[in-house]
Amino acid sequence: MAHIGAIDALLERSYQIKAIAGTSMGSVVGGMYACGKLEEFKKFITSLSRLDVYRLMDIAISKKGLIKGERVFSEMKSIVGDVRIEDLPIPFAAVSADLINHSAVIFTKGDLIAALRASSAIPSLVLPVSINEALLVDGGIVDPLPIEHVMRTSDDLLVAINVNAPRKNVEIEAEPDSRYKRLRQQIVQHWPNLLSETQKKLPVGGMIDIMSSSFELMQHKLTLSTLQYHTPDILVSLPVNLADTFDFHRAAEIIQTGYEAMSEQLNEIEVRG
């Protein structure tokens, strides 16, 4: 969601976005902008309450993941319609990871919603996407900051939005109400019954938390590696614990954080001239 605020700040200062590459939620937001539907998506996402978020999570009893993703991507398709990436007004690339062939898959053509779904299927949490002979999951496990996949021109500025920066102390939200607790308990209870006896002794939500932390660490290390070889003209870095996996009900707050972070970077550029 911070990507939305960052885009808002760029557009407010009359920057023209000429190409986008994204991974995971970065691809979702980038795809919405590329097809001209970011404002509609922003309106949808900022209208969600905590319970709305959980109602959109269609629980799957599967070894491959907990959430099907049908409901949320049906909502997105109702916003976007049938759009192909190659028909977008600006070049767009979405990064996914193929678990079968152990490779990155870069979507630069084909159905937009299918690409966004594949790019944001968090391993073990959201069901992977099968396309041809590939089993696709969140691109963050191979390329969380896909700078090299942006189509460049000679006179452009490269802007990177890194939401995998090291953790910082942040205010923890108050304990959710009982309805939310019951929904979270339901998700945990649907976790595939394939855990060891030690794993089964973890507290409620423990496996999800361990998986999420492991994913965060991997993405942070991959991002550092990318930044060793590519230097953006503008780099916005936000701590990975700015929000939890299911915190879409905080969209407005997180969008504002992204806006302020990008504005700060743009102010520095203007001061330097």
Side-chain angles (χ1 to χ4, degrees), residues 3 7 17-36 76 80 83-96 105-117 119-120 146 149-152:
H3 293 77
I7 290 174
I17 298 174
K18 294 295 188 179
I20 298 175
T23 292
S24 196
M25 277 304 298
S27 71
V28 172
V29 173
M32 290 291 144
Y33 178 82
C35 70
M76 290 173 58
V80 172
V83 177
R84 296 186 65 80
I85 296 174
E86 61 266 34
D87 296 330
L88 296 173
I90 63 174
F92 173 72
V95 179
S96 186
V105 174
I106 316 300
F107 288 93
T108 56
K109 61 182 180 179
D111 182 75
L112 175 63
I113 291 296
L116 301 186
R117 183 170 181 172
S119 180
S120 57
H149 298 298
V150 182
M151 186 173 290
R152 303 294 305 274

Side-chain angles (χ1 to χ4, degrees), residues 163-222:
V163 293
N164 298 302
R167 286 174 167 255
K168 291 184 178 180
N169 292 328
V170 296
E171 291 186 9
I172 303 300
E173 195 172 2
E175 185 69 15
D177 61 34
S178 59
R179 291 175 298 173
Y180 171 85
K181 290 179 183 177
R182 288 197 298 270
L183 284 167
R184 181 175 172 85
Q185 179 75 31
Q186 182 185 11
I187 288 178
V188 175
Q189 287 175 346
H190 279 85
W191 190 273
N193 190 26
L194 298 173
L195 307 179
S196 68
E197 291 304 315
T198 299
Q199 290 170 328
K200 289 177 182 178
K201 294 177 183 178
L202 289 169
V204 170
M207 285 303 298
I208 293 177
D209 294 338
I210 289 173
M211 179 186 67
S212 178
S213 295
S214 300
F215 196 44
E216 289 173 5
L217 175 59
M218 177 178 59
Q219 290 187 104
H220 173 57
K221 293 299 184 182
L222 287 171

Side-chain angles (χ1 to χ4, degrees), residues 55-262:
R55 290 190 184 106
L56 285 171
M57 295 180 188
D58 36 358
I59 304 300
I61 303 176
S62 169
K63 297 177 182 179
K64 295 180 180 179
L66 285 174
I67 299 168
K68 296 177 184 177
E70 298 289 345
R71 293 176 186 170
V72 66
F73 280 98
S74 291
E75 292 285 346
M76 290 173 58
K77 192 171 182 66
S78 70
I79 295 173
V80 172
D82 293 316
V83 177
R84 296 186 65 80
I85 296 174
E86 61 266 34
D87 296 330
L88 296 173
I90 63 174
F92 173 72
V95 179
S96 186
D98 181 359
L99 295 181
I100 293 177
N101 299 298
H102 293 183
S103 62
V105 174
I106 316 300
F107 288 93
T108 56
K109 61 182 180 179
D111 182 75
L112 175 63
I113 291 296
L116 301 186
R117 183 170 181 172
S119 180
S120 57
I122 302 173
S124 297
L125 186 60
V126 180
L127 290 179
V129 176
S130 295
I131 298 179
N132 298 326
E133 296 182 358
L135 189 64
L136 304 175
V137 296
D138 195 305
I141 69 173
V142 288
D143 195 352
L145 196 67
I147 293 173
E148 69 273 25
H149 298 298
V150 182
M151 186 173 290
R152 303 294 305 274
T153 58
S154 59
D155 58 347
D156 64 15
L157 292 174
L158 179 62
V159 180
I161 305 168
N162 170 28
V163 293
N164 298 302
R167 286 174 167 255
K168 291 184 178 180
N169 292 328
V170 296
E171 291 186 9
I172 303 300
E173 195 172 2
E175 185 69 15
D177 61 34
S178 59
R179 291 175 298 173
Y180 171 85
K181 290 179 183 177
R182 288 197 298 270
L183 284 167
R184 181 175 172 85
Q185 179 75 31
Q186 182 185 11
I187 288 178
V188 175
Q189 287 175 346
H190 279 85
W191 190 273
N193 190 26
L194 298 173
L195 307 179
S196 68
E197 291 304 315
T198 299
Q199 290 170 328
K200 289 177 182 178
K201 294 177 183 178
L202 289 169
V204 170
M207 285 303 298
I208 293 177
D209 294 338
I210 289 173
M211 179 186 67
S212 178
S213 295
S214 300
F215 196 44
E216 289 173 5
L217 175 59
M218 177 178 59
Q219 290 187 104
H220 173 57
K221 293 299 184 182
L222 287 171
T223 298
L224 289 180
S225 178
T226 295
L227 291 173
Q228 285 181 340
Y229 295 98
H230 302 277
T231 304
D233 298 291
I234 301 173
L235 175 62
V236 172
S237 292
L238 296 170
V240 70
N241 62 328
L242 179 66
D244 198 2
T245 306
F246 301 135
D247 278 355
F248 290 94
H249 61 287
R250 295 175 52 211
E253 168 198 342
I254 300 167
I255 288 170
Q256 181 63 26
T257 300
Y259 173 84
E260 292 173 358
M262 179 61 79

